[in-house]
Amino acid sequence: MSVSYWLGVDTGGTFTDFVLLGDGEPRIHKVLSTPSAPEQAILQGITELGLKDAMAAGQLVIVHGTTVATNAALEGKGARTVLITNQGLEDILRIGRQNRAELYNLTPTPPPSMLDTVNVEGSPARLDARGKEVIPLSDAGLTQLVEKVLAHQPQSVALCLLFSYLNPAHEQRIRQALEAAGLPVSASHAILPTRGEYERGMATWLNAWLAPKVADYLQRLQQATDPAPLAIMQSHGGTIASDQAAGLAVNLLLSGPAGGLAAARRLGEQLRQPRLMTFDMGGTSTDVALLDGDLRLTQQGHIGPYPVAVPMVDMHTIGAGGGSLAYVDDAGLLHVGPHSAGADPGPACYGRGGNQVTVTDANVVLGRLQPDFALGGSLTLDTAAARHAMKTLASQLGLGVEETAEGVLALANEHMTQALRVISIQKGFDPANFALLSFGGAGGLHVCALADNLGMRSALVPRRAGVLSAEGLVYAPRKREQLQALPDGAGDAALRERIGTLQHQGSAELIREGVGAEQIQHHVFVDMCYQGQSSVLQVPWQPAVAAREALFHDAHEVRFGHRLALPVQQVNIRVQSQATRTPPAQPPLPARTGEAIRHTRLPGVDQQVAIYHRDTLGPGQTIQGPALIAEAVGTTWLAPQWQASVDAQGHLLLTRPGA
């Protein structure tokens, strides 16, 4: 069965984005998201793109970035879960790491947590720190444990025993017994086989808590799209077949945003611009990240209040998007976000009953979002409704309508600027040495202001920037991130044995997806630290121990500014197994020179503003600001003193001469 089309589908809080390859020029599409049943928006888009026949024939590959796991975690809507740990350690997840939000409060009130509702059972079996059995798991003890778990009538079970990453035998027996009783089980030796019972336990509990909801959604989507192949983006920037993804919900928490970074990496390679700071501004939030040649992964991520120690793209998210609500507090101060108007009713300008000001309304009031260009003209913008909502807000501030709109945008821009500082300046990177890559439906309207705030001299607005995350999904590799903790004092022979095991495991999973063995590439890394440290740094595998240690010393000095005269420990082995995708090539941009379709005056701008349609621009063309460059999925506001050049692929390269 040959594949004719490749479809990237990115579900956001406001819109669901589609990018279709395989039919000449890439086709793009947007529909309003349906949060209660996300598959409905996906099926609507597939129908409107005329792909039902190709899907029914299995000629359509669908790669999907989903927010189901993220939303369930943030909204506290996981499954009824029982946690099994060792006797005496039942409170380990509630105790946590003792990180306090109020350092000097001697009697802090613990914030409410979904962990407060989790039933915990303890297993009497025990392993020592080398994985050797100290207290065996008897048949009678196992039967009693299963009976206790079943009495809670759980929908899912999380299983996390001490040192199971060195010896999973006890977890495997308990898992088999519970699965025989009809319960889905997430076992820590399969979810995160590494040290740190708190982080390992949290990852396992999150997976168990979220997996039933994710599995139910993916099953509905797979049934609706069958027999079309369906792959899901994972948090580390690689995809996985939907049937394998259902049981790995914790790996999908950054599924959607990771697609944009996959596209950013590909774009950086094409433009020979490896140093990028990205900001993906959607309807409800903005995601920012930094690329220095490749995606930066972290195991210190968070989703809401919960630590997530599985590998994920290093990203910072704030509640500032096109749908972020503006309001005045009791002290008369203006705020923007983090609450959002969402897809329904949406901003006031959508004409769907919303009456509160959003960032999108501010752009409409200031003329930067023209009604005839919103979503290619398919979305009718109600300028009068936006102005009416802004007038109500302005009256509370004692300001004019346009002045209030400018204040809303200034606050939203400052929120995003602060987020970009977190992932750059606070980590030792100078933003001036990077280019700012803007994407997402609302990003182009703010890119110049953010670059100015950060002292950056260049920026990029890629072609189809409003759906770049969806496009990145199609090009993302099929990938597995395998991890295994090492016992103390493990020699090179033991390391090589574990590397071989992880490579075989990664290959087997990819082959199950239909990947040829000859297509699979493996990349090996070692997590290392100084003796006595708890945090690790990742270095590429080298055959010689001395070479690995030298790389670690260098990495430690770069990250922390010094190196120590202490022994170095090898903590974990990591293997990345991946196979690249080869979707159809995109045709080059034809030679042409687009003219401004009209000129207009905008509030707060002293000059005439030229308005261009991006689809008419040709390679090599240069546009001077102020200008609006509109396309079907977004508008770029080219501020005064900025200029934009169109490259051979149609990307906008923004510079500020003399900056």
Side-chain angles (χ1 to χ4, degrees):
M1 186 181 298
S2 62
V3 173
S4 301
Y5 301 98
W6 298 69
L7 182 67
V9 183
D10 177 34
T11 298
T14 305
F15 291 103
T16 296
D17 300 338
F18 302 81
V19 172
L20 177 67
L21 302 183
D23 195 16
E25 186 73 18
R27 294 172 59 193
I28 58 179
H29 192 59
K30 277 180 178 274
V31 301
L32 286 171
S33 295
T34 50
S36 60
E39 72 276 8
Q40 293 179 4
I42 295 174
L43 297 175
Q44 177 188 342
I46 289 173
T47 300
E48 292 175 359
L49 284 166
L51 296 172
K52 290 187 69 174
D53 291 342
M55 182 176 70
Q59 297 175 345
L60 174 69
V61 173
I62 303 171
V63 188
H64 177 32
T66 174
T67 57
V68 168
T70 310
N71 292 341
L74 294 175
E75 296 169 6
K77 295 181 179 178
R80 187 169 58 255
T81 304
V82 167
L83 171 66
I84 299 175
T85 184
N86 296 93
Q87 285 183 356
L89 296 174
E90 289 88 351
D91 293 322
I92 194 72
L93 297 191
R94 293 189 180 93
I95 294 171
R97 287 292 182 192
Q98 289 294 291
N99 296 326
R100 300 187 181 188
E102 301 174 89
L103 187 60
Y104 299 107
N105 186 350
L106 299 181
T107 57
T109 301
S113 169
M114 293 307 301
L115 288 167
D116 298 334
T117 66
V118 175
N119 293 301
V120 185
E121 295 294 343
S123 167
R126 183 66 69 92
L127 303 175
D128 68 12
R130 293 185 175 275
K132 294 183 179 179
E133 189 174 69
V134 177
I135 301 176
L137 178 61
S138 66
D139 291 342
L142 178 58
T143 300
Q144 186 179 30
L145 179 62
V146 172
E147 290 174 350
K148 288 181 178 179
V149 171
L150 291 174
H152 295 296
Q153 298 182 330
Q155 297 170 307
S156 185
V157 177
L159 175 58
C160 183
L161 303 182
L162 285 178
F163 309 115
S164 61
Y165 55 87
L166 296 176
N167 179 359
H170 288 173
E171 282 196 357
Q172 289 171 342
R173 282 191 64 198
I174 296 172
R175 179 178 187 169
Q176 290 170 0
L178 290 169
E179 288 179 341
L183 291 175
V185 181
S186 297
S188 70
H189 73 270
I191 301 298
L192 188 66
T194 187
R195 289 174 172 81
E197 63 271 20
Y198 171 62
E199 288 78 12
R200 183 161 49 91
M202 284 300 303
T204 306
W205 169 72
L206 279 169
N207 194 78
W209 186 48
L210 300 173
K213 191 175 187 72
V214 171
D216 179 62
Y217 165 65
L218 292 180
Q219 184 179 28
R220 297 197 313 267
L221 182 60
Q222 181 68 77
Q223 289 176 348
T225 58
D226 192 65
L230 175 64
I232 308 299
M233 174 61 90
Q234 301 173 91
S235 299
H236 54 59
T239 68
I240 183 173
S242 62
D243 60 334
Q244 297 183 42
L248 295 173
V250 73
N251 290 341
L252 307 182
L253 289 169
L254 291 183
S255 172
L261 294 188
R265 175 178 55 190
R266 178 173 176 270
L267 186 62
E269 293 171 351
Q270 288 180 337
L271 300 179
R272 298 183 180 179
Q273 175 58 273
R275 309 195 83 188
L276 296 171
M277 288 170 58
T278 71
F279 85 102
D280 175 7
M281 185 178 180
T284 57
S285 63
T286 295
D287 302 314
V288 300
L290 184 144
L291 280 71
D292 193 5
D294 200 355
L295 300 185
R296 297 169 62 87
L297 300 182
T298 181
Q299 283 192 263
Q300 298 177 346
H302 281 77
I303 183 72
Y306 310 117
V308 184
V310 298
M312 58 172 51
V313 290
D314 192 359
M315 179 179 291
H316 185 62
T317 301
I318 60 169
S324 292
L325 295 171
Y327 64 95
V328 178
D329 66 14
D330 293 339
L333 296 177
L334 177 64
H335 296 264
V336 176
H339 301 295
S340 172
D344 188 13
C349 61
Y350 282 10
R352 296 164 61 95
N355 55 15
Q356 289 183 268
V357 169
T358 67
V359 174
T360 297
D361 293 314
N363 278 307
V364 170
V365 168
L366 294 176
R368 299 178 186 181
L369 190 56
Q370 297 281 302
D372 53 331
F373 286 132
L375 287 187
S378 63
L379 177 65
T380 301
L381 292 183
D382 189 340
T383 303
R387 291 190 66 86
H388 178 75
M390 192 68 69
K391 184 177 180 180
T392 301
L393 185 68
S395 65
Q396 299 177 52
L397 295 167
L399 300 174
V401 171
E402 286 81 9
E403 192 177 7
T404 301
E406 289 175 350
V408 170
L409 293 187
L411 269 178
N413 289 337
E414 185 57 31
H415 289 323
M416 290 183 284
T417 300
Q418 290 292 348
L420 287 163
R421 290 189 179 115
V422 167
I423 55 98
S424 58
I425 295 172
Q426 291 188 17
K427 295 188 177 181
F429 296 99
D430 184 354
N433 297 327
F434 290 75
L436 182 61
L437 173 61
S438 159
F439 57 100
L445 291 166
H446 300 260
V447 60
C448 291
L450 298 185
D452 282 336
N453 288 351
L454 292 163
M456 303 177 75
R457 298 179 291 273
S458 61
L460 304 172
V461 183
R463 199 175 179 194
R464 299 177 293 276
V467 292
L468 191 71
S469 290
E471 185 169 344
L473 295 170
V474 176
Y475 290 100
R478 288 168 284 191
K479 185 179 177 183
R480 297 296 183 275
E481 287 271 348
Q482 310 289 349
L483 168 69
Q484 179 61 58
L486 298 171
D488 291 339
D492 272 10
L495 266 65
R496 289 188 174 88
E497 180 182 352
R498 281 168 171 77
I499 290 171
T501 300
L502 295 178
Q503 288 177 337
H504 176 76
Q505 182 179 341
S507 294
E509 292 184 11
L510 290 172
I511 290 171
R512 279 177 54 197
E513 291 189 20
V515 177
E518 71 284 354
Q519 298 176 268
I520 300 173
Q521 296 180 330
H522 301 288
H523 304 280
V524 182
F525 302 89
V526 188
D527 289 345
M528 306 179 76
C529 68
Y530 287 117
Q531 191 173 59
Q533 288 183 330
S534 58
S535 60
V536 299
L537 292 175
Q538 179 179 294
V539 299
W541 167 261
Q542 301 292 324
V545 176
R548 297 195 293 271
E549 291 184 352
L551 286 177
F552 170 76
H553 287 301
D554 292 342
H556 194 278
E557 186 168 16
V558 169
R559 181 68 179 86
F560 300 108
H562 66 278
R563 58 180 68 202
L564 301 175
L566 291 174
V568 176
Q569 292 180 307
Q570 300 176 118
V571 180
N572 301 311
I573 281 289
R574 298 177 183 272
V575 174
Q576 294 178 357
S577 305
Q578 65 181 45
T580 57
R581 294 184 184 274
T582 54
Q586 300 181 22
L589 197 68
R592 60 195 180 196
T593 301
E595 300 292 335
I597 59 175
R598 65 176 182 266
H599 292 77
T600 189
R601 299 303 295 252
L602 299 184
V605 182
D606 296 334
Q607 310 168 49
Q608 286 275 343
V609 177
I611 301 178
Y612 295 84
H613 202 294
R614 186 163 180 174
D615 288 346
T616 67
L617 303 181
Q621 185 171 352
T622 299
I623 297 172
Q624 301 293 332
L628 288 171
I629 304 171
E631 56 185 314
V633 289
T635 296
T636 299
W637 164 239
L638 189 64
Q641 302 180 31
W642 281 83
Q643 69 177 24
S645 300
V646 184
D647 81 345
Q649 299 298 319
H651 306 305
L652 295 180
L653 312 181
L654 277 56
T655 56
R656 183 168 182 171

